[in-house]
Amino acid sequence: MGHWWERNILEPGKLPLLLALTAFVVTFLVTRVITRMIRAGRGPFGNVKAGGLHIHHVVPGVLLTVVGGFGAVASDRHGAGGAVAAVVFGMGVGLVLDEFALILHLDDVYWSAEGRKSVEVVVLTAALVLLLLAGFSPFGVNDLTRDELQDRGSAIGTIAGNFVFALVALGKGKTRIAVFGAIVPLVAIVGAVRLARPGSPWARRFYGRRPRARAKAALRAYRHDRRWARPRRALQDWIGGKPDPRSLRLPDRR
């Protein structure tokens, strides 16, 4: 274990990344626990207010992110300063992304259905950082052999090919597959070869005069959402808490 830690974490300078990821996940979980206790009226915690203004925790999150980010840039990855800056940065990102939906909608949608986006972004971010920590390089360059790395044409071709597949998957409305495909090789191919989701740029461009393709894509998307929507909602509710039904509002008609 000690040899693995030295070779895979300390030598490549990944300790700050590990500390940032740990601080990010722990801060998000602790924040969710506290906010759920506040919501339930339990414990000694309460909303932070100044002069009647509710101070959302995204505010200290931004400050911590700025301090930690600049501190990390100015520090050595192998020194104590870099480790401290990484922890501060991870804490800030955890607070900011916990209210990602608020930033996106410019409204307090923390306990609404729209607030689920914060949980999705946090889980996606943690997964991507974990992949980077595990040693994956963007576009699968780490899978090339030594001879292939010496051949710049092969390296550039591999990067460009995987990038194209990721773009196609993104255009087909498969955001998660596209993002993971940029990190893990061959994943983006799955999203690139399958039918696009209805309403995606690819579907609007190429399925406009193909009613059978539109119908098949809609049916596949319906079956996929019907199969996975309930487990995904259950996981999001378990992590972030159930949305408040009273927070559902009519669309803004302004």
Side-chain angles (χ1 to χ4, degrees):
M1 181 65 182
H3 177 71
W4 178 90
W5 176 266
E6 181 74 24
R7 182 175 180 83
N8 295 279
I9 300 298
L10 296 182
E11 287 185 3
K14 290 184 177 181
L15 182 58
L17 183 62
L18 175 61
L19 293 174
L21 175 61
T22 304
F24 166 66
V25 174
V26 171
T27 300
F28 168 74
L29 294 177
V30 171
T31 302
R32 281 285 166 168
V33 170
I34 293 176
T35 54
R36 292 170 78 164
M37 292 177 66
I38 295 174
R39 185 189 189 192
R42 301 176 181 175
F45 305 103
N47 293 323
V48 178
K49 295 183 179 181
L53 179 64
H54 178 196
I55 306 298
H56 292 272
H57 50 266
V58 68
V59 176
V62 170
L63 297 178
L64 290 175
T65 302
V66 171
V67 173
F70 280 109
V73 171
S75 303
D76 183 6
R77 290 189 305 170
H78 297 273
V84 173
V87 172
V88 174
F89 178 79
M91 294 172 61
V93 174
L95 292 173
V96 170
L97 293 189
D98 184 55
E99 293 204 302
F100 173 82
L102 181 148
I103 301 173
L104 180 64
H105 294 278
L106 293 179
D107 196 4
D108 190 359
V109 294
Y110 194 83
W111 294 118
S112 69
E114 291 85 353
R116 295 176 183 270
K117 292 183 177 65
S118 297
V119 179
E120 293 180 356
V121 169
V122 167
V123 172
L124 182 61
T125 301
L128 290 176
V129 176
L130 187 61
L131 287 174
L132 292 175
L133 186 64
F136 290 102
S137 298
F139 312 120
V141 179
N142 57 298
D143 292 332
L144 297 176
T145 64
R146 181 175 298 178
D147 293 337
E148 289 174 330
L149 287 174
Q150 293 177 352
D151 185 353
R152 294 186 178 181
S154 298
I156 294 174
T158 301
I159 295 173
N162 209 59
F163 183 69
V164 169
F165 286 130
L167 285 181
V168 172
L170 184 64
K172 288 188 172 184
K174 305 177 185 297
T175 306
R176 296 180 183 87
I177 293 181
V179 173
F180 278 102
I183 304 296
V184 184
L186 304 181
V187 171
I189 298 178
V190 177
V193 300
R194 293 177 65 86
L195 285 171
R197 290 188 62 86
S200 65
W202 185 281
R204 292 195 300 267
R205 175 64 177 83
F206 295 102
Y207 297 168
R209 299 182 180 180
R210 299 171 57 190
R212 293 184 61 183
R214 291 201 309 271
K216 189 175 181 180
L219 179 60
R220 178 169 293 180
Y222 169 76
R223 290 176 175 174
H224 176 274
D225 294 342
R226 184 178 181 182
R227 176 184 302 173
W228 295 106
R230 182 173 297 179
R232 184 168 60 246
R233 285 198 301 268
L235 178 62
Q236 291 172 344
D237 291 346
W238 179 74
I239 296 176
K242 292 184 179 180
D244 188 353
R246 295 174 297 179
S247 65
L248 298 178
R249 300 167 299 173
L250 294 175
D252 191 351
R253 300 182 181 276
R254 290 180 296 175

